[in-house]
Every structure is written in C-alpha cells, then in structure tokens.
C-alpha cells in the first residue's frame, strides 16, 4: 500500500481544513458590504487610471444620477474631462457602507488632487469644499456574488448643469 492509514487521514484533515479556510475567506470576500466597498475602491482606481473600459464595466445599463446624466452621457463627459486632470488622485474619507437586499450604498467624503491646470483646478474647486458625502448606489445584478454595478450617484451639495460642464 502506497499510503499508510495515518498519512491518508492527515491529508484528508489538512484538505478539509484548507477547504474550510477557503470557504470562510470567500464568504467574507463575497459579503455584500465588502463587495460594495471593493467595487467603489476599484471604480476610483479605474477613474484615476483613465481606464474607460473598466469604468464602463462598473456602470449599470440603467445608470442615472441626480444631475440628469445617464450612462452614455457620463462616459462621454468623463472621457472629455478626466484626461486633463493629470496624475489624478481621488481620496475617500469617512466611508460608510450600507448593504441592503440586492443593493448597497457607499457614502464618503471625497477630495480630488491632480497636477495643476485649469481643468484640475475647476474639479478641485467644485469637489473638495463639499461637506456632504457622495452617495454611490450599487445594484447586485445576478446570483454571482461579485456582480455589482453602479446605478446612481448623488451629492445634494454638488450643483452641476445637466446640459454642459
């Protein structure tokens, strides 16, 4: 016999322990609160990197914000404006995540930094003084625990024209 009984038993217990540890890790990783937190962080990283393909993946097809922008308009405006904010850094503070059935809300005060130019100064003037947090509403799209999309963004203190910059 190639394996002794005690070696097999030890291997079985070690395998079960690894499977249990992996199960606990995935359960925590895929928890709605953690998924909303991670998706918001990855969205911010994609915006900082001007990774438009990744940004589009995060946006729900039915996206709409308080300023009257839908998904298509938001993507066009982000592509027009953010490349001028060189070395963009978006910092979220005082983060609160509230999971709900099939959805989640991420709230945080946001500040923006970038290399100085006219566009980045305009962005910083509008965003950094805000006292109200941004609220990102995420929707769980399917039975897959990692399938979350951004469905709405609000900030009552931020005034943006719906027809222009």
């Amino acid at each position: 016999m190639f394996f002794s009984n005690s070696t097999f038993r030890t291997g079985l217990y070690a395998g079960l322990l690894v499977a249990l540890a992996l199960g606990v890790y995935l359960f925590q990783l895929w928890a709605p609160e953690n998924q909303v937190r991670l998706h918001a962080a990855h969205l911010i990283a994609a915006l900082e990197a001007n990774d438009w393909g990744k940004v589009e993946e995060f946006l729900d097809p039915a996206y709409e914000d308080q300023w009257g922008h839908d998904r298509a308009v938001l993507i066009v405006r982000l592509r027009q404006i953010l490349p001028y904010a060189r070395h963009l850094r978006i910092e979220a503070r005082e983060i609160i995540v509230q999971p709900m059935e099939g959805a989640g809300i991420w709230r945080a005060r946001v500040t923006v930094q970038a290399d100085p130019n006219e566009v980045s100064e305009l962005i910083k003037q509008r965003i950094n003084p805000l006292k109200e947090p941004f609220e990102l509403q995420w929707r769980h799209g399917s039975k897959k625990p990692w399938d979350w999309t951004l469905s709405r963004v609000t900030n009552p203190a931020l005034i943006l024209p719906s027809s222009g910059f």
Side-chain angles (χ1 to χ4, degrees), residues 48-133:
E48 290 175 337
N50 291 330
D51 186 348
W52 307 121
K54 196 63 136 172
V55 170
E56 287 183 40
E57 288 176 18
F58 284 111
L59 297 178
D60 193 80
Y63 173 88
E64 183 182 323
D65 60 34
Q66 78 176 38
W67 305 281
H69 303 131
D70 63 10
R71 184 179 192 271
V73 170
L74 179 67
I75 291 168
V76 167
R77 291 198 176 169
L78 288 173
R79 284 181 180 213
Q80 289 174 340
I81 295 171
L82 289 187
Y84 293 103
R86 304 243 185 253
H87 300 107
L88 179 66
R89 295 167 309 282
I90 302 170
E91 180 185 345
R93 298 183 326 268
E94 303 168 22
I95 299 171
I96 298 171
V97 176
Q98 180 182 357
M100 298 177 294
E101 185 64 35
I105 296 176
W106 179 93
R107 283 186 196 92
R109 296 219 23 235
V110 173
T111 56
V112 176
Q113 297 300 322
D115 291 351
N117 64 37
E118 291 177 10
V119 173
S120 64
E121 292 304 317
L122 178 63
I123 294 170
K124 289 191 287 189
Q125 288 171 3
R126 287 194 180 188
I127 302 296
N128 292 353
L130 297 174
K131 300 293 183 217
E132 293 286 326

